[in-house]
Amino acid sequence: IVEARYVIGCAGLYADRVARLNGMLSTPQIVPFRGDYYVLQRERASMVRGMIYPVPDPRFPFLGVHFTRRMNGDVWLGPNAVLAFAREGYRRFDINLGEVWETLRYRGFRRLALKYWRVGLEEMYRDFNKAAFLKALQRYVPDLRLADLLPGSAGVRAQALAPDGTLVDDFVVNHQGGQLHVRNAPSPAATSSLAIAEMIVDTAERNFAFDEMKHR
Ligand SMILES: Cc1cc2nc3c(=O)[nH]c(=O)nc-3n(C[C@H](O)[C@H](O)[C@H](O)COP(=O)(O)OP(=O)(O)OC[C@H]3O[C@@H](n4cnc5c(N)ncnc54)[C@H](O)[C@@H]3O)c2cc1C
């Protein structure tokens, strides 16, 4: 057991569980979405000389497949966004039945699934069908060929989902007593991470009784 006067939780995929363990609201619940990448064949990497991003669809916090040229010259293609069957489900067949059940029985997920079942199925199809993934990429680089795509890595996005089925796309920080929990930190990127850190420190300063501690 660890005892602390103040706690700042930033538990990503487990943010809701850690907050709940500390007596806070269980929502928004985290629903894991896996994102797989392909890597462009090295000889073809010169086709992509910068970052290529789609115009975001405001209905979803997922950007859609894009082209990321990395510092070492590798070009990553993706990611897609499919429901993961485990919070740490980095591979297609990683399954944690308890966590699948946790997702399925959540009212927010059922509402989301009802509304966007078609988009969800399309993503799943692309997940199993490399040609369909290629087609999504060819919207931006029509010369891409199936053989250009090598298997890449994967990540799992901790998507906060509100009970009404809304995909939460803003930062959520909850506080209560001596605790502060970052419940959703979607894609902060280098440009905003410092500002977010500042916001967290400010919130802690306002809500934690630091002054009281100084005078003890
Ligand atoms: C495929 C993919 C691509 C992405 N691309 C981008 C991008 O280009 N730009 C961008 O800005 N963002 C991107 N993101 C999103 C970005 O990764 C997240 O928004 C960000 O990591 C969230 O930060 P966090 O601190 O909330 O959680 P995390 O970075 O997940 O950190 C949480 C930490 O808590 C630890 N932890 C969890 N539970 C416990 C526990 N019980 N005890 C102890 N430790 C625990 C974990 O091990 C982890 O280290 C991407 C995400 C994915 C999945």
Side-chain angles (χ1 to χ4, degrees):
I1 294 178
V2 178
E3 287 188 14
R5 195 184 301 269
Y6 302 113
V7 174
I8 297 184
C10 309
L13 279 161
Y14 294 98
D16 54 345
R17 279 201 203 162
V18 171
R20 202 172 55 221
L21 278 174
N22 287 286
M24 299 185 75
L25 274 182
S26 58
T27 56
Q29 185 169 314
I30 297 294
V31 174
F33 283 87
R34 196 186 73 253
D36 281 320
Y37 289 91
Y38 284 98
V39 179
L40 189 56
Q41 282 269 18
R42 244 311 151 100
E43 307 82 72
R44 302 273 281 166
S46 60
M47 278 201 291
V48 179
R49 294 193 298 274
M51 308 296 222
I52 306 177
Y53 280 80
V55 176
D57 180 338
R59 289 174 307 159
F60 305 107
F62 311 114
L63 192 55
V65 293
H66 49 273
F67 296 67
T68 309
R69 193 177 171 93
R70 296 170 64 84
M71 298 294 281
N72 66 357
D74 281 353
V75 179
W76 285 22
L77 315 171
N80 56 355
V82 279
L83 180 69
F85 299 127
R87 291 204 185 208
E88 292 179 68
Y90 292 92
R91 289 167 309 178
R92 208 168 278 150
F93 296 109
D94 285 343
I95 299 174
N96 177 320
L97 288 179
E99 290 178 350
V100 174
W101 176 238
E102 187 187 25
T103 297
L104 293 181
R105 72 182 178 148
Y106 178 45
R107 148 169 71 109
F109 175 75
R110 292 201 303 267
R111 290 194 172 160
L112 176 80
L114 261 180
K115 196 164 171 196
Y116 292 120
W117 61 271
R118 185 186 287 272
V119 179
L121 286 181
E122 278 167 10
E123 281 290 338
M124 281 179 132
Y125 177 65
R126 256 201 299 273
D127 190 35
F128 282 97
N129 188 318
K130 190 174 167 185
F133 202 111
L134 173 74
K135 203 167 162 207
L137 293 165
Q138 281 173 329
R139 282 188 68 195
Y140 311 104
V141 182
D143 278 351
L144 271 182
R145 299 286 168 262
L146 212 51
D148 298 335
L149 276 54
L150 305 176
S153 55
V156 179
R157 184 186 173 114
Q159 178 59 52
L161 196 55
D164 67 357
T166 310
L167 292 155
V168 184
D169 61 2
D170 204 354
F171 294 86
V172 178
V173 178
N174 290 168
H175 57 82
Q176 177 181 298
Q179 301 180 55
L180 193 154
H181 291 273
V182 178
R183 306 283 300 254
N184 197 38
S187 298
T191 41
S192 57
S193 54
L194 292 177
I196 293 158
E198 224 168 75
M199 179 192 82
I200 292 169
V201 171
D202 286 349
T203 314
E205 261 178 3
R206 271 199 312 275
N207 295 285
F208 292 178
F210 287 142
D211 284 346
E212 239 174 64
M213 213 163 83
K214 267 190 232 158
H215 296 125
R216 277 191 190 180

